[in-house]
Amino acid sequence: MTLTTVSNRNAGATKSSRAFARERGVVPGGSMRNATWFAPHPPYAAKGIGCFVEDLDGRQLLDCANNFFSLIHGHAFAPVVEAIRAAAGDGTAFGLPTEKEIALAELIRGRSPRCEQVRFCTSGTEAVMFAIKGARALTGRRALAKFEGAYHGSYDWVEVSLAPEPAAWDDESGNPASIGGSKGVPKHVLQDTVVLPWNDPDRCAAILDKQGSRLAALIIDPVPSRAGMVPVSKKTVEVIHAASEKHGFLIISDEVISFRLSYAGAHPLFGLQPDLITLGKIIGGGLPIGAVAGSARTMSVFDHTQGKPGVALGGTFSANPLAMAAGFSAMTALDEAAIARLNQLGSDLRSEINLSFIEKRIPAQVTGSGSLFRLHLTAKPIADYRSSRCGTPDALRQVHAAALEQGVLLTPNCSGAISTPMEQAHIDDLSTAITRAVADTFAVRGWDQ
C-alpha cells in the first residue's frame, strides 16, 4: 500500500469547501467540535472503511485520528456494524434497562478487578464529571488536584491549566498556577483546583503535603495525550499513593484514552491503584459512551435503590442499547493478542520515525505508549506539558497540513493512534509520510525549533 500525495486544490471548488460554507451559516465556527476544525477548513467525511476515511471529494486518507482515538477497529468494523443493526431492529432506546448494559459491564469487570462495578453515561467528559462528584460526596470535600496540561474533558475544574501560556505558568510560590480553561470560570473553581507538575515527584509531594487535606480527589491520565504523551513515572505514582493514604483523598484514573494500552487498562501497567476509573471512546465501538468504574464500596455512592443517592448518575441516553451492543462487540474483538499486536505496531512506528529523524538530522521526535503516538518539533527531551510546547502552534499546523496532503489524517496537534486494520505496510508508509511532512515544514521555516 502506497499513500497518494494530493496536491492543494482550489479551496472554492471542492464539495468540502461548499459544505463548510453551508455549515458556517447554521453553526458558529462552521464546526460542531473545535477539535475537528483546522484552517481553511477540514475535509468533510463521506464514509470510512477499515483504516481509511473518504471525504466528499473522493479523497482517501489513512486515518490515524480515529475520531480522537475511539475507533480502535477503524471504520465500519463488520462485527460492530452487525451488532448495531441487530440492536436497532429491537428498538433504539427505552425508558427501561436492557440486558445489553449488563453484558458490557460484565465484560469490563472481567478485564480489571478494580472495575468491580460500572455505571454508563454518554461521554468521557460526563464520566470524569461524575467521578469527581462521587469523590466529593464520599469525602465531603470540594477541591481537586490535576496535572498541568492534562486533558480530562470539558468540566470546568478539569479544564483548569489545560493550556496555560508561559507568562502565567507559575503562581507566587513558583508552583503551577490555576488558570481558567475558558472565559467566565468562577474564582472558586480556580481556588478549588490544585495544579501539579507532571513527573516531578518531589514538587508533587510538597504540594500534596500542603493541599492534600482539602482534596476530594486527584485525577490522573497515566499517559496524558496533551501533556506530552509521556507515561507517568514510578516515583510519581508512589508519591500519589502515599499522599492519598495520608490525606484520605481518592485517586481517579482517567483512562478514556489510555484504557487501550493493555487488556486490563492503563492502571496496572504503571502500578496505579485507583479508587475510580473513567472510561469512554473504545468501549463504545464508535458510538457515544462514557463510564465510571470502581469497587462496589466506592461505587455505592451512585446506588439509587435506598432512596436519594449520594450522586445521581444517569441520563436519557445512558446505557443506550445501540452503544452497549457496539461496545460489547468491539471489546470482545479486542483481545490480548489484538492489543499486543497494536502495541507492537505502535512501538515500530515510533522507532521508525525517530530513527528517520536522527538519520536525516531533523530536530523532531515522537513520544507515546502502546498504540498511541504524538509528534514534537524538537530534539530536546519531552518530559511534561511545558517541554512539549516546543516550537510554535503554527509549525505543527503546517506539519498537519503537509501530512494531509500526503493522504494521512492526524489530529490537529499531530498525534495519532494505530487501529487493528493497519498492517506493517501502513506503518512504513506513515513513517515516510510523517518524516517528509516534518522535513518539508522545517525546509520552509528553517531549522530553528
Side-chain angles (χ1 to χ4, degrees):
M1 189 278 297
T2 302
L3 297 178
T4 301
T5 300
V6 182
S7 60
N8 285 317
R9 303 181 181 192
N10 184 333
T14 66
K15 292 181 180 179
S16 286
S17 65
R18 291 194 290 272
F20 178 65
R22 284 178 56 208
E23 189 162 11
R24 288 199 69 176
V26 291
V27 175
S31 177
M32 293 294 179
R33 291 185 287 175
N34 62 332
T36 60
W37 185 86
F38 45 87
H41 61 77
Y44 277 65
K47 62 181 178 181
I49 184 69
C51 54
F52 287 89
V53 60
E54 184 175 307
D55 71 8
L56 291 178
D57 297 287
R59 176 171 54 165
Q60 287 199 334
L61 302 168
L62 181 57
D63 188 3
C64 295
N66 294 318
N67 191 32
F68 297 89
F69 317 128
S70 64
L71 299 171
I72 200 161
H73 296 300
H75 299 277
F77 183 53
V80 168
V81 171
E82 182 52 40
I84 294 171
R85 182 180 292 113
D90 293 332
T92 59
F94 305 97
L96 295 168
T98 71
E99 284 191 307
K100 293 179 177 64
E101 65 198 54
I102 304 172
L104 183 55
E106 288 175 338
L107 184 152
I108 292 171
R109 181 182 64 183
R111 296 175 85 109
S112 170
R114 301 200 78 87
C115 296
E116 185 179 4
Q117 291 196 336
V118 183
R119 283 288 287 264
F120 293 110
C121 48
T122 56
S123 71
T125 286
E126 279 189 288
V128 167
M129 178 186 72
F130 283 121
I132 293 170
K133 291 177 71 173
R136 288 177 181 145
L138 288 165
T139 63
R141 304 173 185 175
R142 297 189 314 183
L144 172 76
K146 63 155 294 187
F147 287 91
E148 185 178 51
Y151 177 74
H152 302 285
S154 54
Y155 192 37
D156 275 346
W157 280 264
V158 294
E159 281 192 319
V160 171
S161 295
L162 171 61
E165 293 298 321
W169 274 348
D170 294 330
D171 62 18
E172 62 278 1
S173 64
N175 290 319
S178 296
I179 307 298
S182 58
K183 292 183 178 180
V185 175
K187 288 184 179 180
H188 72 85
V189 171
L190 304 181
Q191 294 166 350
D192 284 340
T193 306
V194 177
V195 182
L196 302 170
W198 185 248
N199 279 348
D200 190 336
D202 292 338
R203 289 177 68 202
C204 283
I207 294 170
L208 291 173
D209 191 54
K210 182 178 180 180
Q211 303 284 353
S213 62
R214 71 186 189 95
L215 296 178
L218 179 153
I219 187 166
I220 176 173
D221 179 342
V223 188
S225 62
R226 296 200 195 178
M229 205 176 273
V230 177
V232 65
S233 69
K234 179 181 178 181
K235 183 63 176 176
T236 299
V237 171
E238 291 173 353
V239 164
I240 291 170
H241 284 153
S244 172
E245 184 174 352
K246 178 179 179 180
H247 297 291
F249 60 79
L250 275 61
I251 298 172
I252 301 171
S253 184
D254 179 358
E255 303 187 25
V256 170
I257 292 175
S258 56
F259 192 64
R260 64 163 51 221
L261 296 182
S262 86
Y263 188 76
H267 54 280
L269 293 178
F270 304 102
L272 270 173
Q273 299 177 28
D275 300 286
L276 292 168
I277 300 166
T278 58
L279 304 172
K281 297 194 184 287
I282 67 168
I283 68 164
L287 270 61
I289 198 168
V292 182
S295 68
R297 178 177 175 274
T298 304
M299 292 293 290
S300 66
V301 72
F302 305 116
D303 187 347
H304 50 265
T305 60
Q306 305 302 314
K308 185 178 180 180
V311 173
L313 195 173
T316 301
F317 293 101
S318 296
N320 176 267
L322 272 63
M324 299 296 99
F328 184 84
S329 178
M331 294 304 290
T332 298
L334 192 66
D335 58 18
E336 294 189 68
I339 292 173
R341 177 179 171 275
L342 284 175
N343 289 347
Q344 185 61 56
L345 288 176
S347 178
D348 291 346
L349 177 64
R350 292 190 297 274
S351 295
E352 283 187 33
I353 295 174
N354 284 329
L355 180 59
S356 182
F357 286 154
I358 292 171
E359 291 176 342
K360 298 179 184 300
R361 298 184 179 181
I362 298 174
Q365 63 186 291
V366 288
T367 58
S369 181
S371 53
L372 300 168
F373 66 91
R374 181 176 173 183
L375 174 69
H376 304 278
L377 300 181
T378 182
K380 297 177 182 178
I382 301 298
D384 53 16
Y385 164 74
R386 299 187 183 191
S387 56
S388 73
R389 291 184 83 262
C390 50
T392 65
D394 184 55
L396 276 177
R397 284 192 287 268
Q398 285 185 249
V399 173
H400 179 265
L404 195 65
E405 288 299 313
Q406 294 180 64
V408 171
L409 179 63
L410 303 172
T411 69
N413 72 352
C414 292
S415 58
I418 309 303
S419 59
T420 57
M422 291 185 180
E423 303 287 350
Q424 186 61 49
H426 298 107
I427 300 304
D428 296 339
D429 284 339
L430 274 173
S431 177
T432 299
I434 291 172
T435 301
R436 183 179 299 143
V438 175
D440 290 348
T441 298
F442 274 124
V444 171
R445 298 180 61 87
W447 300 80
D448 58 354
Q449 305 302 313

Short mmCIF file of all heavy atoms in Angstrom, two decimals, residues 350-371:
data_model
loop_
_atom_site.label_atom_id
_atom_site.label_comp_id
_atom_site.label_asym_id
_atom_site.label_seq_id
_atom_site.Cartn_x
_atom_site.Cartn_y
_atom_site.Cartn_z
N ARG A 350 6.92 4.43 16.22
CA ARG A 350 7.72 5.43 16.95
C ARG A 350 9.21 5.24 16.68
O ARG A 350 9.95 6.20 16.48
CB ARG A 350 7.41 5.38 18.44
CG ARG A 350 5.99 5.84 18.79
CD ARG A 350 5.80 6.00 20.30
NE ARG A 350 5.95 4.73 21.00
CZ ARG A 350 4.98 3.84 21.19
NH1 ARG A 350 3.76 4.10 20.71
NH2 ARG A 350 5.19 2.71 21.84
N SER A 351 9.64 3.98 16.68
CA SER A 351 11.07 3.71 16.44
C SER A 351 11.47 4.10 15.03
O SER A 351 12.54 4.71 14.82
CB SER A 351 11.35 2.22 16.67
OG SER A 351 11.14 1.87 18.02
N GLU A 352 10.66 3.76 14.04
CA GLU A 352 10.97 4.08 12.64
C GLU A 352 11.07 5.59 12.43
O GLU A 352 12.01 6.09 11.79
CB GLU A 352 9.90 3.50 11.71
CG GLU A 352 10.02 2.01 11.47
CD GLU A 352 9.05 1.53 10.40
OE1 GLU A 352 8.75 2.30 9.46
OE2 GLU A 352 8.58 0.38 10.51
N ILE A 353 10.08 6.31 12.96
CA ILE A 353 10.08 7.76 12.77
C ILE A 353 11.27 8.41 13.47
O ILE A 353 11.97 9.25 12.90
CB ILE A 353 8.76 8.38 13.26
CG1 ILE A 353 7.59 7.88 12.42
CG2 ILE A 353 8.83 9.91 13.19
CD1 ILE A 353 6.23 8.34 12.93
N ASN A 354 11.50 8.02 14.71
CA ASN A 354 12.61 8.63 15.46
C ASN A 354 13.96 8.32 14.83
O ASN A 354 14.85 9.17 14.78
CB ASN A 354 12.57 8.18 16.92
CG ASN A 354 11.49 8.89 17.72
OD1 ASN A 354 11.15 10.04 17.44
ND2 ASN A 354 10.94 8.20 18.71
N LEU A 355 14.12 7.10 14.33
CA LEU A 355 15.36 6.74 13.65
C LEU A 355 15.52 7.56 12.37
O LEU A 355 16.61 8.05 12.05
CB LEU A 355 15.38 5.25 13.33
CG LEU A 355 16.63 4.73 12.60
CD1 LEU A 355 17.88 5.00 13.44
CD2 LEU A 355 16.49 3.24 12.30
N SER A 356 14.43 7.74 11.64
CA SER A 356 14.47 8.53 10.42
C SER A 356 14.85 9.98 10.72
O SER A 356 15.65 10.59 9.99
CB SER A 356 13.11 8.48 9.72
OG SER A 356 13.12 9.20 8.52
N PHE A 357 14.31 10.54 11.80
CA PHE A 357 14.66 11.90 12.18
C PHE A 357 16.16 12.01 12.49
O PHE A 357 16.82 12.98 12.09
CB PHE A 357 13.86 12.34 13.42
CG PHE A 357 12.41 12.65 13.14
CD1 PHE A 357 11.47 12.54 14.15
CD2 PHE A 357 11.99 13.06 11.88
CE1 PHE A 357 10.14 12.84 13.92
CE2 PHE A 357 10.65 13.35 11.63
CZ PHE A 357 9.73 13.24 12.66
N ILE A 358 16.69 11.02 13.19
CA ILE A 358 18.11 11.03 13.54
C ILE A 358 18.97 10.94 12.27
O ILE A 358 19.94 11.69 12.09
CB ILE A 358 18.43 9.87 14.51
CG1 ILE A 358 17.77 10.13 15.87
CG2 ILE A 358 19.95 9.72 14.67
CD1 ILE A 358 17.86 8.95 16.81
N GLU A 359 18.60 10.01 11.40
CA GLU A 359 19.38 9.82 10.18
C GLU A 359 19.37 11.06 9.29
O GLU A 359 20.38 11.39 8.66
CB GLU A 359 18.83 8.62 9.40
CG GLU A 359 19.09 7.28 10.09
CD GLU A 359 18.45 6.13 9.35
OE1 GLU A 359 17.54 6.38 8.51
OE2 GLU A 359 18.82 4.97 9.61
N LYS A 360 18.25 11.76 9.26
CA LYS A 360 18.13 12.95 8.41
C LYS A 360 18.47 14.24 9.16
O LYS A 360 18.33 15.33 8.60
CB LYS A 360 16.70 13.03 7.85
CG LYS A 360 16.33 11.86 6.96
CD LYS A 360 14.90 11.97 6.44
CE LYS A 360 14.49 10.75 5.63
NZ LYS A 360 15.34 10.54 4.45
N ARG A 361 18.88 14.09 10.41
CA ARG A 361 19.25 15.22 11.25
C ARG A 361 18.11 16.25 11.36
O ARG A 361 18.33 17.46 11.29
CB ARG A 361 20.53 15.88 10.73
CG ARG A 361 21.74 14.94 10.76
CD ARG A 361 23.00 15.65 10.33
NE ARG A 361 24.15 14.74 10.39
CZ ARG A 361 25.40 15.08 10.08
NH1 ARG A 361 25.66 16.34 9.70
NH2 ARG A 361 26.37 14.20 10.16
N ILE A 362 16.93 15.73 11.55
CA ILE A 362 15.75 16.57 11.74
C ILE A 362 15.48 16.68 13.24
O ILE A 362 15.31 15.66 13.91
CB ILE A 362 14.53 15.97 11.03
CG1 ILE A 362 14.77 15.88 9.52
CG2 ILE A 362 13.27 16.79 11.31
CD1 ILE A 362 13.67 15.16 8.77
N PRO A 363 15.44 17.88 13.78
CA PRO A 363 15.22 18.05 15.23
C PRO A 363 13.76 17.86 15.60
O PRO A 363 13.03 18.82 15.85
CB PRO A 363 15.70 19.48 15.48
CG PRO A 363 15.44 20.19 14.20
CD PRO A 363 15.68 19.18 13.11
N ALA A 364 13.34 16.62 15.65
CA ALA A 364 11.95 16.29 15.98
C ALA A 364 11.93 14.89 16.60
O ALA A 364 12.92 14.16 16.55
CB ALA A 364 11.07 16.36 14.74
N GLN A 365 10.79 14.53 17.16
CA GLN A 365 10.65 13.21 17.79
C GLN A 365 9.18 12.88 17.98
O GLN A 365 8.32 13.76 17.92
CB GLN A 365 11.35 13.18 19.16
CG GLN A 365 10.74 14.14 20.16
CD GLN A 365 11.52 14.21 21.46
OE1 GLN A 365 11.55 13.24 22.22
NE2 GLN A 365 12.17 15.35 21.69
N VAL A 366 8.91 11.59 18.20
CA VAL A 366 7.57 11.17 18.59
C VAL A 366 7.66 10.49 19.95
O VAL A 366 8.61 9.76 20.24
CB VAL A 366 6.90 10.23 17.56
CG1 VAL A 366 6.51 10.97 16.32
CG2 VAL A 366 7.80 9.05 17.25
N THR A 367 6.66 10.77 20.78
CA THR A 367 6.53 10.12 22.08
C THR A 367 5.27 9.27 22.05
O THR A 367 4.55 9.22 21.05
CB THR A 367 6.44 11.15 23.21
OG1 THR A 367 5.31 12.01 22.94
CG2 THR A 367 7.70 11.99 23.30
N GLY A 368 4.97 8.61 23.15
CA GLY A 368 3.74 7.84 23.23
C GLY A 368 3.92 6.54 23.98
O GLY A 368 4.97 6.29 24.59
N SER A 369 2.91 5.71 23.91
CA SER A 369 2.93 4.42 24.59
C SER A 369 1.95 3.50 23.88
O SER A 369 0.90 3.95 23.41
CB SER A 369 2.53 4.58 26.05
OG SER A 369 2.57 3.36 26.76
N GLY A 370 2.29 2.23 23.78
CA GLY A 370 1.38 1.29 23.14
C GLY A 370 1.05 1.71 21.73
O GLY A 370 1.94 1.97 20.91
N SER A 371 -0.22 1.84 21.43
CA SER A 371 -0.66 2.19 20.08
C SER A 371 -0.87 3.69 19.90
O SER A 371 -1.44 4.11 18.88
CB SER A 371 -1.96 1.44 19.75
OG SER A 371 -2.94 1.66 20.76
#
